[in-house]
């Protein structure tokens, strides 16, 4: 039964019947009588076929129900309908009325379909408008979110500008204090100007002495050449080089003594001035001493790096034009000695301050800036840069908190525990010439120094440089000079 019903539904017989009726109605007045009769017969045949399929479905449905199922329905509906069709002569409803009812039903169905399609069209239009409204709403929400973000950004910028203005005011105040301190420092330096002039006179006398010694050596060389029968043999035996030494070689001893003296003055004068300046902002003396020690160490590191870069530039410049008896390296060193003022010390000072700002071993209140001791750092950088021009160059001894105390490298500070074997922290580094200590450093020894150093920082001092101390130890047997004797007061 299901297959028969499916075929009847798929064939759309009623739709075909309705279409034929509508087509016949449109062309009824055009067709002839025979054509109209043929059309009516076609519709009757089609109706009979549809009725035959319906009766087939009725039969199959009755068979599926068994012997007794569907009996009441057949009695109440099918049999009275058959009886009325075959026995009743005239129906209460005329044919025209039946056709008009069918026509009204078709018209109502058509109107229902039209209304349904119109409703669907309206629903689609409403849905499109709803989608567009939702998109506009999303766009408005996005604009609102962007406006909120811009508002928050404006608020943050305003707050940042206000904080920056306050920071600038604090920075200007700090710079004003630094300027005042530098003015005081310069006033104190003017008091020791006479001492510097005296040292200049001593150095000039030493230069005159060395010049006279050079003249004597040259006269000896001339006499030895004139008295020798074999010129080649006399040149091989002569202990003096034929080339004339450069200015850097002539004054190496005097510059060595002068730099050692400047390094000692840095410890005895500028260090104490900077320590007094920092004590205005930091109460802990140990922290102040650590800051100054690290400043000297970082200054030597920055100056050595700057010297290597400066020397490489000078060597590259002179390599293409260098001629003469002296070697290229001697010419480079001589040029650097003559032009120490070309050293960009401010860049090294900035590098030292940046390195100290990230050093984990020192801490300070937020209102203190290492720019306060920039003059001290600048002097240390200049001394360290000039020390690199010596042969051999002067450097600082390696130091780390918690190391074993050495009498060769350091002396104990007044507040140290003299029985403690380890260094708690360093006040001043030792100055080396090669592997020999020529100026002792200063260290504080206390018991438990290793535990203190590990609790303060997990890494040793990052630099291997330092500055002079109060104890002067000559590195090799040299003739005493006035510049060197001036450092004995340490």
């Amino acid at each position: 039964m299901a297959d028969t019903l499916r075929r009847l539904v798929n064939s759309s017989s009623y739709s075909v019947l309705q279409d034929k009726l509508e087509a016949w109605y449109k062309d009824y007045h055009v067709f002839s009588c025979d054509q109209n009769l043929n059309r009516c017969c076609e519709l009757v045949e089609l109706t009979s076929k549809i009725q035959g399929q319906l009766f087939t479905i009725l039969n199959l449905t009755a068979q599926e129900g068994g012997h007794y199922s569907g009996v009441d329905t057949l009695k109440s509906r099918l049999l009275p309908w058959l009886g009325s069709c075959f026995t009743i002569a005239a129906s209460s409803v005329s044919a025209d009325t039946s056709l008009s009812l069918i026509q009204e039903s078709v018209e109502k169905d058509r109107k229902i379909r039209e209304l349904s399609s119109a409703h669907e069209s309206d629903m689609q239009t409403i849905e499109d408008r709803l989608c567009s409204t939702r998109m506009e709403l999303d766009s408005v929400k996005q604009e609102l979110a962007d406006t909120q973000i811009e508002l928050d950004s404006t608020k943050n910028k305003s707050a940042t500008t206000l904080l920056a203005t306050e920071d600038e005011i604090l920075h200007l105040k700090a710079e004003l204090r630094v300027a005042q301190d530098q003015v005081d420092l310069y006033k104190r330096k003017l008091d020791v100007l006479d001492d510097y002039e005296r040292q200049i006179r001593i150095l000039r006398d030493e230069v005159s002495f060395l010049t006279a010694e050079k003249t004597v050596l040259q006269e000896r060389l001339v006499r030895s050449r004139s008295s020798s029968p074999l010129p080649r043999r006399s040149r091989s035996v002569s202990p003096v080089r034929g080339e004339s030494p450069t200015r850097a070689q002539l004054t190496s001893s005097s510059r060595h003594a002068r730099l050692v003296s400047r390094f000692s003055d840095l410890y005895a004068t500028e260090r104490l001035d900077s320590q007094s300046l920092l004590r205005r902002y930091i109460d802990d003396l140990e922290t102040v001493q650590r800051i100054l020690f690290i400043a000297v160490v970082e200054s030597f590191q920055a100056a050595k790096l700057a010297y290597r870069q400066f020397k490489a530039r000078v060597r590259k410049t002179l390599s293409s034009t260098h001629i003469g008896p002296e070697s290229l390296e001697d010419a480079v060193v001589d040029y650097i000695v003559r032009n120490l003022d070309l050293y960009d010390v401010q860049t090294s000072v900035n590098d030292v301050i940046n390195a100290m700002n990230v050093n984990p071993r020192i801490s300070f209140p937020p209102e203190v800036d290492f720019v306060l001791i920039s003059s001290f750092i600048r002097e240390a950088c200049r001394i360290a840069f000039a020390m690199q021009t010596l042969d051999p160059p002067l450097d600082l001894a390696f130091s780390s908190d918690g190391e074993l105390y050495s009498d060769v490298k350091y002396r104990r500070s007044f507040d140290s525990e003299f029985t403690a074997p380890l260094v708690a922290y360093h006040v001043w580094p030792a100055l080396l010439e090669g592997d020999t200590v020529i100026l002792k450093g200063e260290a504080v020894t206390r018991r438990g120094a290793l535990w203190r150093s590990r609790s303060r920082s997990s890494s040793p001092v990052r630099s291997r440089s330092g500055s002079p101390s109060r104890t002067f130890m000559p590195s090799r047997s040299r003739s005493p000079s006035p510049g060197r004797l001036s450092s004995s007061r340490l």
Side-chain angles (χ1 to χ4, degrees), residues 71-91:
V71 175
D72 295 335
T73 304
L74 294 175
K75 288 181 180 181
S76 60
R77 299 197 61 179
L78 180 62
L79 294 179
W81 178 75
L82 292 175
S84 62
C85 291
F86 290 102
T87 58
I88 299 176
S91 176

Side-chain angles (χ1 to χ4, degrees), residues 230-244:
L230 295 176
R232 292 183 181 179
R233 185 177 180 180
S234 64
R235 284 197 299 268
S236 63
V237 175
S238 175
V240 182
R241 296 191 308 174
E243 303 87 4
S244 105

Side-chain angles (χ1 to χ4, degrees), residues 267 271-272 275 279 285-286 289 405 410-419 425 427 441-446 470:
Y267 169 80
R271 181 187 69 88
L272 296 179
Q275 179 173 309
R279 286 300 299 272
L285 178 60
E286 178 181 345
Q289 292 177 341
Y405 175 78
Y410 305 103
R411 67 171 187 83
R412 285 186 171 91
S413 61
F414 68 94
D415 54 346
S416 299
E417 296 178 7
F418 288 84
T419 58
Y425 66 92
V427 178
E442 182 177 351
V444 177
T445 56
R446 289 173 185 162
R470 297 185 181 178

Side-chain angles (χ1 to χ4, degrees), residues 87-106:
T87 58
I88 299 176
S91 176
S92 60
V93 180
S94 63
D96 295 336
T97 305
S98 178
L99 290 175
S100 63
L101 291 175
I102 292 173
Q103 186 176 0
E104 290 177 359
S105 177
V106 172

Side-chain angles (χ1 to χ4, degrees), residues 237-480:
V237 175
S238 175
V240 182
R241 296 191 308 174
E243 303 87 4
S244 105
T246 64
R247 177 177 181 272
Q249 294 170 343
L250 279 175
T251 60
S252 177
S253 176
S254 61
R255 288 190 300 108
H256 181 281
R258 182 171 58 88
L259 290 174
V260 171
S261 177
R262 287 178 61 189
F263 194 67
S264 301
D265 292 338
L266 183 69
Y267 169 80
T269 306
E270 282 85 354
R271 181 187 69 88
L272 296 179
D273 295 336
S274 300
Q275 179 173 309
S276 301
L277 178 60
L278 290 176
R279 286 300 299 272
R280 299 179 184 178
Y281 308 97
I282 303 174
D283 295 331
D284 187 13
L285 178 60
E286 178 181 345
T287 302
V288 172
Q289 292 177 341
R290 284 179 180 272
I291 290 174
L292 296 177
F293 173 80
I294 292 175
V296 175
V297 172
E298 296 293 344
S299 298
F300 265 74
Q301 290 284 33
K304 289 192 292 184
L305 178 61
Y307 177 78
R308 289 193 295 269
Q309 296 173 351
F310 187 76
K311 187 176 182 181
R313 292 195 300 268
V314 173
R315 184 187 296 110
K316 182 178 180 180
T317 303
L318 298 181
S319 59
S320 59
T321 59
H322 174 70
I323 55 175
E326 60 182 1
S327 64
L328 177 61
E329 290 297 320
D330 291 338
V332 169
V333 175
D334 184 70
Y335 178 87
I336 295 175
V337 172
R338 294 173 184 270
N339 299 275
L340 289 177
D341 54 341
L342 297 179
Y343 168 44
D344 187 8
V345 66
Q346 185 60 41
T347 300
S348 298
V349 172
N350 295 335
D351 294 339
V352 172
I353 293 176
N354 292 334
M356 294 176 66
N357 286 331
V358 298
N359 194 304
R361 297 175 55 215
I362 54 178
S363 60
F364 53 92
E367 66 271 14
V368 174
D369 193 348
F370 289 132
V371 179
L372 291 171
I373 57 172
S374 58
S375 59
F376 173 79
I377 297 174
R378 182 177 291 103
E379 183 64 16
C381 290
R382 287 174 176 170
I383 294 174
F385 186 89
M387 284 182 175
Q388 306 310 308
T389 62
L390 299 176
D391 186 18
L394 302 182
D395 200 355
L396 301 182
F398 174 79
S399 58
S400 63
D401 291 348
E403 68 175 336
L404 186 64
Y405 175 78
S406 173
D407 285 326
V408 178
K409 293 170 57 178
Y410 305 103
R411 67 171 187 83
R412 285 186 171 91
S413 61
F414 68 94
D415 54 346
S416 299
E417 296 178 7
F418 288 84
T419 58
L422 300 180
V423 175
Y425 66 92
H426 299 80
V427 178
W428 201 254
L431 185 64
L432 297 180
E433 184 177 13
D435 295 330
T436 306
V437 178
I438 61 173
L439 283 179
K440 284 187 177 182
E442 182 177 351
V444 177
T445 56
R446 289 173 185 162
R447 295 192 178 276
L450 184 59
W451 178 84
R452 291 171 182 264
S453 64
R454 287 180 178 177
S455 63
R456 182 176 290 270
S457 173
S458 60
S459 62
V461 181
R462 297 179 296 171
S463 173
R464 293 186 296 175
S465 337
S467 287
S469 157
R470 297 185 181 178
T471 305
F472 174 76
M473 297 181 62
S475 59
R476 56 185 69 176
S477 59
R478 295 183 178 179
S479 60

Side-chain angles (χ1 to χ4, degrees), residues 27-202:
D27 300 333
Y28 181 79
H29 300 286
V30 180
F31 292 156
S32 62
C33 180
D34 293 335
Q35 290 177 344
N36 288 330
L37 290 176
N38 288 330
R39 288 295 181 92
C40 185
C41 290
E42 289 179 1
L43 292 174
V44 171
E45 290 176 358
L46 182 59
T47 304
S48 63
K49 289 179 181 180
I50 294 172
Q51 287 181 351
Q53 292 179 0
L54 290 175
F55 275 109
T56 301
I57 294 171
L58 181 65
N59 186 21
L60 293 174
T61 304
Q63 290 178 2
E64 290 177 358
H67 293 287
Y68 302 102
S69 296
V71 175
D72 295 335
T73 304
L74 294 175
K75 288 181 180 181
S76 60
R77 299 197 61 179
L78 180 62
L79 294 179
W81 178 75
L82 292 175
S84 62
C85 291
F86 290 102
T87 58
I88 299 176
S91 176
S92 60
V93 180
S94 63
D96 295 336
T97 305
S98 178
L99 290 175
S100 63
L101 291 175
I102 292 173
Q103 186 176 0
E104 290 177 359
S105 177
V106 172
E107 291 294 334
K108 289 181 180 180
D109 292 339
R110 184 180 293 117
K111 289 181 180 180
I112 290 173
R113 287 194 298 272
E114 290 177 356
L115 291 174
S116 177
S117 61
H119 177 70
E120 290 179 357
S121 177
D122 294 339
M123 289 296 294
Q124 184 65 32
T125 304
I126 292 173
E127 287 181 357
D128 294 339
R129 291 180 180 177
L130 181 60
C131 291
S132 63
T133 305
R134 286 178 179 173
M135 292 176 64
E136 291 178 358
L137 181 60
D138 294 338
S139 176
V140 171
K141 287 182 179 179
Q142 184 64 32
E143 291 178 357
L144 181 61
D146 295 339
T147 305
Q148 184 66 31
I149 292 173
E150 291 180 358
L151 180 59
D152 295 339
S153 176
T154 304
K155 289 182 179 179
N156 293 333
K157 289 181 179 178
S158 300
T160 304
T161 304
L162 181 60
L163 293 176
T165 304
E166 294 179 354
D167 293 339
E168 288 178 358
I169 293 174
L170 294 176
H171 185 68
L172 290 175
K173 290 182 178 179
E175 288 183 351
L176 180 59
R177 290 195 297 269
V178 171
Q180 293 175 352
D181 295 334
Q182 288 181 350
V183 169
D184 297 336
L185 181 62
Y186 291 151
K187 289 180 179 179
R188 287 193 296 270
K189 285 185 176 181
L190 289 176
D191 298 335
V192 297
L193 182 60
D194 296 337
D195 187 18
Y196 289 155
E197 292 178 353
R198 181 181 58 83
Q199 292 182 3
I200 290 173
R201 289 194 298 270
I202 292 173

